[in-house]
Amino acid sequence: MLLASVGSAYDLKLSTLVAVHAIWVQAASYLDSRALYRTTSPKASRGRSVVLLLKAQRQDLYQRLQQSQSVASHLHNLSAEISITVDFLSQALCASPTDIQAVAGRFGDDESRAVLPFIQEWFLGEDHRYSIWHAGQVLRAPQKVEADGLYRFYSVLVYHAFMTLSISSVMAKLLNRIIDLGSTRMIILNGPRTSELDDYLLTGLATPALQFKNHSEPISKPYVIPTIMRNIFEDNHT
């Protein structure tokens, strides 16, 4: 990656952030294309081609985001702002923020009902697990931000992460997919990546949870997500 070779003559943090925001534009274009595809009825052969194209586009964007984050970390240049932005975009590629807000009722009851089948499909698939993992990482990043550092733009990204986690919790109840805590382990979404987390992303056999200051709770408990959201915004004085 070019950022790894520019040397100390450049502001690497700013350069990395600019590179990530350039991917943002392409991610938004991908989400628009996917939404447009869902509203049309192409012929079967053309439809398969479009699906493959969209999947390839998303995979490329996702890999570039992870590469940007990896390079920034290798250069000891991974700021909280870069982390929040990369994980938000990774989350958005797996769970459209527009769909999440629509099913939550932002655009009215009709739109909420229209998008519900897509959200149900999302919840039952791999995209759901990756999106809530990245949402958890968005919540982890503000721990590195100094007081008053989580200003308007980044606070909105944190809000979207909470929305994704909240819809996941609601869908678990709606579809009766809450896992018995007595029979499985908890996976901490706002903690470091572990081999257990990788197993969860692959199989889904664990209970998604968020870590408080000294303990963890599953996101299916109604008070967990609002409490952590309040704590983050209070700690950062947004």
Side-chain angles (χ1 to χ4, degrees):
M1 191 174 184
L2 181 61
L3 288 171
S5 61
V6 296
S8 58
Y10 297 88
D11 186 331
L12 288 176
K13 286 186 179 180
L14 179 60
S15 299
T16 304
L17 197 56
V18 169
V20 169
H21 277 268
I23 298 175
W24 189 317
V25 177
Q26 298 170 63
S29 176
Y30 158 77
L31 291 172
D32 287 344
S33 297
R34 195 186 71 164
L36 179 62
Y37 169 75
R38 285 195 332 206
T39 61
T40 60
S41 300
K43 294 181 180 179
S45 58
R46 181 186 173 192
R48 286 193 295 270
S49 298
V50 173
V51 168
L52 290 174
L53 178 62
L54 289 173
K55 285 184 176 180
Q57 183 182 6
R58 188 183 73 163
Q59 183 177 7
D60 175 64
L61 291 169
Y62 187 87
Q63 289 177 344
R64 286 161 58 194
L65 285 167
Q66 306 316 304
Q67 184 183 30
S68 297
Q69 192 171 43
S70 177
V71 169
S73 179
H74 177 71
L75 296 174
H76 306 290
N77 185 41
L78 186 58
S79 66
E81 291 79 9
I82 294 172
S83 292
I84 291 175
T85 306
V86 167
D87 279 305
F88 166 73
L89 289 175
S90 300
Q91 167 201 309
L93 289 173
C94 299
S96 165
T98 301
D99 286 353
I100 294 295
Q101 293 181 86
V103 80
R106 178 180 177 183
F107 308 119
D109 292 343
D110 290 343
E111 188 65 24
S112 180
R113 284 191 290 269
V115 80
L116 182 58
F118 299 110
I119 293 295
Q120 290 175 328
E121 181 181 358
W122 161 78
F123 178 80
L124 297 174
E126 185 181 59
D127 281 356
H128 164 248
R129 300 192 291 274
Y130 274 89
S131 61
I132 63 173
W133 155 247
H134 285 295
Q137 293 304 292
V138 170
L139 306 189
R140 185 185 180 199
Q143 299 173 7
K144 308 173 188 176
V145 178
E146 297 179 0
D148 298 320
L150 195 65
Y151 51 90
R152 291 184 182 89
F153 175 76
Y154 294 104
S155 65
V156 171
L157 304 191
V158 171
Y159 160 78
H160 279 292
F162 278 114
M163 285 294 298
T164 299
L165 291 168
S166 296
I167 293 301
S168 172
S169 177
V170 170
M171 293 304 297
K173 295 180 177 67
L174 181 65
L175 300 178
N176 295 317
R177 289 293 295 269
I178 297 177
I179 301 174
D180 181 7
L181 290 178
S183 62
T184 188
R185 65 189 183 280
M186 288 195 294
I187 290 297
I188 309 304
L189 300 175
N190 58 340
R193 187 157 189 165
T194 63
S195 58
E196 289 80 6
L197 184 278
D198 290 334
D199 289 341
Y200 167 71
L201 293 176
L202 182 64
T203 66
L205 298 178
T207 299
L210 291 171
Q211 186 171 4
F212 288 76
K213 292 182 178 179
N214 56 2
H215 69 290
S216 303
E217 296 281 1
I219 63 173
S220 57
K221 291 189 175 181
Y223 64 87
V224 171
I225 296 173
T227 299
I228 294 183
M229 183 176 183
R230 184 191 66 225
N231 290 344
I232 287 177
F233 286 129
E234 285 180 349
D235 290 345
N236 286 277
H237 307 292
T238 55

